[in-house]
Amino acid sequence: MKARGFVVMTVVLAWAGVAGAEPRPAQLIIWGGGKDTAEAEASLGRWQQRAKMDEWDGTLKVAEGYPRIVQSHTVPGLKPGFVVVVLGACEPAAGPKVLETLKAFEPAAYARDVTWAEPLACPQLGPEWRVLQSKSWKKKDGTLTAVLLQTPETKEPHAPTRQALRVMLRAPDGQVLGLDERNGEPAVDEFAMKPGFIPTLDGAGPTVTYLTHEAGCTGGPNVFETRVKYGIDGDTLSTPERTRLLVDNTHNCDR
């Protein structure tokens, strides 16, 4: 896929360093790249398209000036002869956690230990979601990736834990074909007496079952259960739903 319409920042990092920045050990978070600038620009274009689709929204944010294209021979620790797309430079101890989050969305991402002559600029995790689990299913027409997310733990009684299942479909060339997200509270629902959000990343594809409420009467709300089984329909993300009424309180109205 050719990258069109993107402003590409090509940075050659001379080993002379940057004024005011002392060379230091770092871990580079690398999205991809190739053997020449054209391949790196195409990789950067894929990042920008997927970021525009909010694929990792709320889980990871790169610093200002990133991602950037870097000639590998200018950075000690990288193998010469490549042009890579760098998402950030982290403290060595911080890099693995960032990479773990990124690989939930893009398994081909990787990190390298280097000597870095610029100020560190590590991608920021969160703040809305953290990754619990992810899985991909490669099909003939594309790849389904499901990422299970959860809100950060809090002691606030009015801020219950929530989970979300974010499902993406990408074509064999990496182009984003569709994205869908469902979220809810995993705790047991007091009206239905069953979990309010149940994601499944087993089997032939991801599924999610969740509860919703609508106005009932004095006995409480009506509770509905919706189940979504994700799949691929040609070049489209398929999201067939099955909804059933679990709790009917319409007959409990005061007369």
Side-chain angles (χ1 to χ4, degrees):
M1 180 181 72
K2 294 183 179 180
R4 300 177 182 274
F6 296 115
V7 177
V8 178
M9 179 185 296
T10 303
V11 179
V12 177
L13 298 175
W15 177 230
V18 177
E22 193 72 24
R24 59 183 296 178
Q27 192 166 82
L28 283 193
I29 307 300
I30 300 174
W31 170 256
K35 294 183 178 180
D36 55 37
T37 300
E39 290 184 3
E41 289 179 357
S43 179
L44 176 60
R46 288 190 288 272
W47 160 274
Q48 292 175 318
Q49 186 215 18
R50 291 170 64 176
K52 189 176 180 180
M53 294 282 291
D54 293 333
E55 187 171 331
W56 39 81
D57 184 48
T59 68
L60 182 143
K61 182 179 180 181
V62 298
E64 185 176 356
Y66 289 86
R68 59 169 64 173
I69 290 177
V70 173
Q71 302 282 342
S72 65
H73 74 272
T74 65
V75 182
L78 295 182
K79 184 177 180 180
F82 295 91
V83 189
V84 295
V85 179
V86 174
L87 301 184
C90 302
E91 290 277 2
K97 188 63 178 178
V98 173
L99 183 62
E100 179 184 4
T101 295
L102 179 61
K103 287 179 77 69
F105 299 92
E106 179 48 69
Y110 61 99
R112 288 290 183 267
D113 293 324
V114 301
T115 301
W116 189 245
E118 286 196 44
L120 297 182
C122 194
Q124 179 184 356
L125 295 180
E128 185 180 358
W129 300 105
R130 65 183 181 91
V131 174
L132 291 184
Q133 184 183 0
S134 71
K135 187 175 180 179
S136 292
W137 295 260
K138 288 189 176 182
K139 313 280 186 177
K140 177 182 178 181
D141 297 321
T143 300
L144 276 176
T145 298
V147 183
L148 178 60
L149 308 170
Q150 183 168 295
T151 54
E153 295 181 2
T154 176
K155 295 181 180 179
E156 294 293 331
H158 302 297
T161 298
R162 296 185 64 83
Q163 290 185 346
L165 187 67
R166 192 173 295 174
V167 181
M168 294 74 65
L169 171 63
R170 293 191 298 277
D173 65 358
Q175 180 183 0
V176 180
L177 300 177
L179 184 147
D180 186 76
E181 180 176 317
R182 311 294 169 112
N183 62 77
E185 296 179 18
V188 173
D189 182 271
E190 62 179 307
F191 298 102
M193 299 306 296
K194 62 185 306 182
F197 188 80
I198 307 174
T200 303
L201 275 64
D202 299 323
T207 63
V208 63
T209 302
Y210 58 94
L211 305 183
T212 56
H213 301 93
E214 70 172 26
C217 277
T218 54
N222 296 330
V223 183
F224 294 85
E225 180 187 73
T226 299
R227 183 173 186 269
V228 183
K229 185 175 182 179
Y230 292 94
I232 302 176
D233 185 6
D235 60 355
T236 303
L237 177 62
S238 176
T239 59
E241 297 182 4
R242 187 185 67 194
T243 300
R244 64 186 180 120
L245 179 64
L246 286 185
V247 180
D248 183 0
N249 274 306
T250 54
H251 61 283
N252 290 327
C253 296
D254 294 333
R255 299 180 182 276

